[in-house]
Amino acid sequence: RPISLMISTHGGAASDMFSILDVMDMIKKRTCDIETHGIGKVMSAGVPILAAGTPGKRKVGKNCRIMLHNVLAGTGGTIFSMENELEEIKWVQERYIECLAFYTKLTKSRIKKLLKTQKDVYISAEEAIKMGIADEII
């Protein structure tokens, strides 16, 4: 039987998101389908998780708001520590974009263009279907 995953989140840490995506991919490959259900709000790190469900089984509530934005981070310390952290932040941003492109109909260049606005990008349930983040409105 498929696993059903309800998602309503403001987002969270990128490392946690990447861990969840890896587990979802392992389960889909070895065990069963994963149905994802976006309800209420699905923001930031929650968006790739919603999109990572089994294609055809990714659902979103008609009133759900989906939000994408650039990776948020902060650092302090020596210039060398900050340079090191900046490189890691760039890697996380690029990997976030790659994950979205892999699980959706969006290209990396389209995602980068959306994020280039430097503000939160809110998406309706209908837009999420067109972008391939979800397959069906519930």
Side-chain angles (χ1 to χ4, degrees):
R1 290 183 14 199
I3 294 171
S4 289
L5 180 60
M6 301 296 215
I7 305 161
S8 181
T9 182
H10 286 282
S15 59
D16 296 336
M17 174 197 68
F18 292 136
S19 296
I20 292 168
L21 293 175
D22 287 346
V23 169
M24 289 175 73
D25 286 343
M26 284 188 297
I27 289 170
K28 289 185 302 184
K29 199 177 288 182
R30 298 179 183 168
T31 309
C32 64
D33 289 342
I34 299 177
E35 298 174 350
T36 52
H37 305 264
I39 53 173
K41 66 197 170 306
V42 178
M43 301 178 170
S44 190
V47 179
I49 295 170
L50 172 63
T54 301
K57 298 184 179 197
R58 303 170 303 169
K59 300 172 182 167
V60 64
K62 65 182 174 190
N63 296 309
C64 184
R65 294 298 284 167
I66 295 167
M67 187 270 288
L68 299 170
H69 64 174
N70 286 293
V71 171
L72 302 174
T75 188
T78 68
I79 186 77
F80 303 108
S81 294
M82 290 189 290
E83 286 175 342
N84 187 51
E85 287 302 308
L86 179 58
E87 288 306 310
E88 181 64 11
I89 293 163
K90 287 178 181 178
W91 181 88
V92 169
Q93 175 81 3
E94 188 58 33
R95 189 70 193 118
Y96 178 76
I97 291 167
E98 288 171 3
C99 286
L100 279 172
F102 180 77
Y103 295 119
T104 69
K105 296 176 185 172
L106 298 169
T107 63
K108 286 175 29 174
S109 61
R110 174 75 173 120
I111 296 164
K112 287 178 181 180
K113 187 176 179 181
L114 283 170
L115 297 177
K116 204 169 207 163
T117 63
Q118 298 296 316
K119 60 185 175 185
D120 295 344
V121 179
Y122 288 92
I123 301 166
S124 68
E126 293 81 11
E127 291 169 310
I129 301 294
K130 289 178 189 166
M131 293 177 170
I133 294 168
D135 304 304
E136 177 184 344
I137 297 174
I138 51 175

